[in-house]
C-alpha cells in the first residue's frame, strides 16, 4: 500500500465515501487529514495484508495488528508492531482500522463477532474503518449501517460518528509489495473483467501454440495491437514469457484461483439479485470452480493457461 495513496485516501478534501446505499445517494463529504490517523490498526495479514501493513510500518505509522496466524503475528512483533489477540483490542488502540480478509463471513466476524471491532456497542475509538476485502455489496452496506450508528468515544475535529469505507484494492501481491495498489468500490466488476480477460488471453495463446506460433511471438503481437491488455503485457500466463509474475514462479505467490472463484460467485449472485444475465460470468465461474476442484485452488488464477487450456511453457 503506497503511503502517498493512503494519505491521498484520507486527506482529499473532495473525497466521498464510495459505499453507495439505495437509492444511490452519496454520503456527506467528510474531510480527513493524515495527522488524525497516527495509530493504525490492521487486521488480516495474508499475502496482501502482510505487505500493506509492512509498508505502513516503513512509513512510520504506529501499527497494531491482529491475525489468526500466530507465526505472522510473531513476525510483526519482531518488526516492532503491537500485536493484539482480538479485533476489539485493535480497535481500542487505533485511530483508524484497516481490514483485509478473505470473505464476507470473515469480515462479519471481525466486525460483529463476540470479540469484534463493534464489541463496545455504540461507542468506538476508531474514527475511520477501511475494509479492503472483496465482499458482496449487501455485507458492506450492513456493516456500514452498523458503524454509522456508533458514536465516537473521543470526539474532536467536528467528528461525531465513525466512518466506514468500502475500499477493496486492485493490483495483486506485486502491487501490494511495491506500494502501487489502486483502491476502488467496484471490485467485483473489476475482477469479473480481469477473469474474463485472463481466460481470453490464455485461450488465444494456447490456440496459437497449437497452430505453431510461440507464446512470445503472439504476446508481442497482442501488445502491439488491439488485443493488448493487463493479462498480456503485465501478468502474462505463460511460464517463460515474462519475469516477475506468478507464471514464472510455477503460479505461486499471486492471486489464488480460489479467491477468483469466490469473487466470481459473488459477482454471479449480485447479477441474479438484480435479474441480469451475465453469461461470461457464469462460464468464468464454471472454469475457476473446476480448476479449484482439481486441486489448483492455491495457484495463481493465471494457471488456467496450464490446467484448463493445457498450454505449454515457453522453451
Amino acid at each position: 500500500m503506497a503511503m502517498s495513496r493512503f494519505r491521498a485516501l484520507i486527506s482529499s478534501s473532495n473525497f466521498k465515501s464510495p459505499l453507495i446505499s439505495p437509492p444511490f445517494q452519496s454520503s456527506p463529504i467528510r474531510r480527513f487529514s493524515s495527522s488524525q490517523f497516527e495509530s493504525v490498526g490492521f487486521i488480516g495479514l495474508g499475502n496482501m495484508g502482510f505487505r500493506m501493513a509492512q509498508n505502513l510500518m516503513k512509513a512510520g505509522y504506529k501499527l497494531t495488528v491482529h491475525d489468526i496466524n500466530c507465526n505472522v503475528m510473531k513476525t510483526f512483533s519482531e518488526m516492532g508492531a503491537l500485536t493484539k489477540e482480538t479485533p476489539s483490542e485493535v480497535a481500542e488502540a487505533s485511530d483508524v482500522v484497516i481490514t483485509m480478509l478473505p470473505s464476507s463471513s470473515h469480515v462479519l466476524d471481525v466486525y460483529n463477532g463476540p470479540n469484534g471491532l463493534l464489541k463496545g456497542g455504540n461507542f468506538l475509538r476508531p474514527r475511520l474503518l477501511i475494509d479492503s476485502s472483496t465482499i458482496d455489496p449487501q455485507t458492506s452496506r450492513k456493516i456500514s449501517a452498523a458503524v454509522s450508528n456508533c458514536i465516537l468515544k473521543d470526539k474532536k475535529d467536528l467528528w461525531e460518528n465513525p466512518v466506514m469505507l468500502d475500499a477493496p484494492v486492485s493490483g495483486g501481491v506485486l502491487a501490494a509489495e511495491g506500494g502501487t495498489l489502486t483502491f476502488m468500490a467496484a471490485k467485483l466488476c473489476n475482477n469479473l473483467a480481469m477473469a474474463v480477460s485472463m481466460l481470453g488471453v490464455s485461450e488465444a495463446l494456447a490456440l496459437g501454440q497449437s497452430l505453431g506460433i510461440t507464446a512470445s511471438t503472439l504476446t508481442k503481437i497482442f501488445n502491439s495491437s488491439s488485443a493488448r491488455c493487463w493479462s498480456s503485457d503485465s501478468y502474462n500466463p505463460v511460464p517463460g514469457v515474462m519475469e516477475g509474475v506468478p507464471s514464472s514462479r510455477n503460479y505461486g505467490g499471486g492471486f489464488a484461483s480460489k479467491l477468483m472463484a469466490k469473487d466470481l460467485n459473488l459477482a454471479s449472485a449480485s447479477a441474479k439479485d438484480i435479474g441480469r444475465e451475465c453469461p461470461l460470468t457464469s462460464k468464468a465461474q464454471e472454469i475457476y470452480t473446476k480448476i479449484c476442484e482439481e486441486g489448483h485452488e492455491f495457484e495463481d488464477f493465471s494457471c488456467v493457461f496450464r490446467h484448463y487450456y493445457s498450454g505449454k511453457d515457453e522453451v
Side-chain angles (χ1 to χ4, degrees):
M1 180 180 186
M3 292 317 305
S4 60
R5 290 176 183 266
F6 179 74
R7 291 193 178 99
L9 177 67
I10 62 177
S11 64
S12 171
S13 61
N14 295 316
F15 185 80
K16 293 185 180 180
S17 170
L19 185 61
I20 306 299
S21 56
F24 307 106
Q25 293 177 342
S26 60
S27 302
I29 294 176
R30 178 63 59 88
R31 291 174 172 81
F32 308 127
S33 66
S34 58
S35 62
Q36 294 174 312
F37 306 114
E38 295 176 356
S39 298
V40 179
F42 206 105
I43 300 174
L45 302 169
N47 284 339
M48 295 289 291
F50 186 100
R51 291 159 174 83
M52 293 167 70
Q54 194 174 41
N55 282 339
L56 285 168
M57 287 195 70
K58 290 177 181 177
Y61 282 85
K62 178 183 176 183
L63 196 67
T64 302
V65 301
H66 169 74
D67 194 272
I68 59 173
N69 187 324
C70 295
N71 291 328
V72 77
M73 289 271 278
K74 181 181 178 182
T75 298
F76 271 90
S77 178
E78 292 172 349
M79 288 191 293
L82 296 176
T83 59
K84 298 294 182 180
E85 294 298 317
T86 65
S88 63
E89 292 176 321
V90 173
E92 288 298 317
S94 308
D95 301 317
V96 56
V97 175
I98 302 169
T99 50
M100 172 55 87
L101 300 159
S103 68
S104 299
S105 62
H106 293 96
V107 175
L108 283 170
D109 185 59
V110 163
Y111 273 84
N112 297 334
N115 293 303
L117 293 169
L118 305 183
K119 179 183 178 181
N122 290 332
F123 294 94
L124 277 177
R125 176 188 168 178
R127 291 172 174 75
L128 186 62
L129 297 110
I130 303 173
D131 182 39
S132 290
S133 316
T134 301
I135 60 176
D136 62 279
Q138 294 80 6
T139 297
S140 291
R141 292 186 176 111
K142 179 179 180 179
I143 294 172
S144 179
V147 170
S148 65
N149 287 329
C150 294
I151 300 172
L152 290 173
K153 287 184 177 181
D154 181 19
K155 299 179 183 178
K156 64 179 182 180
D157 299 324
L158 301 180
W159 286 69
E160 293 288 338
N161 305 96
V163 175
M164 184 266 187
L165 299 181
D166 172 37
V169 300
S170 179
V173 172
L174 296 178
E177 187 167 2
T180 58
L181 288 171
T182 298
F183 291 82
M184 60 182 66
K187 184 66 181 295
L188 293 184
C189 295
N190 180 82
N191 279 19
L192 164 60
M194 183 170 69
V196 172
S197 170
M198 180 59 72
L199 291 173
V201 168
S202 296
E203 188 170 299
L205 289 170
L207 175 62
Q209 287 182 333
S210 298
L211 295 173
I213 309 173
T214 67
S216 294
T217 297
L218 201 51
T219 295
K220 290 177 182 178
I221 293 171
F222 286 175
N223 294 341
S224 299
S225 61
S226 57
R228 183 176 185 175
C229 62
W230 183 78
S231 296
S232 68
D233 71 0
S234 300
Y235 212 81
N236 198 281
V238 183
V241 169
M242 184 177 293
E243 295 181 358
V245 294
S247 61
S248 70
R249 302 188 297 268
N250 200 29
Y251 299 106
F255 185 63
S257 292
K258 70 172 186 176
L259 295 179
M260 179 57 83
K262 182 262 295 185
D263 290 352
L264 289 168
N265 290 338
L266 293 175
S268 178
S270 296
K272 289 179 181 178
D273 284 344
I274 60 173
R276 175 170 288 278
E277 292 187 9
C278 295
L280 293 182
T281 302
S282 299
K283 187 61 180 179
Q285 182 183 17
E286 174 191 321
I287 291 173
Y288 277 103
T289 298
K290 183 174 187 291
I291 289 293
C292 292
E293 290 173 346
E294 292 177 349
H296 307 293
E297 67 269 31
F298 296 108
E299 295 178 39
D300 182 75
F301 79 106
S302 61
C303 76
V304 293
F305 172 78
R306 174 184 287 173
H307 300 305
Y308 185 80
Y309 292 107
S310 301
K312 307 300 181 183
D313 296 6
E314 187 80 348
V315 178

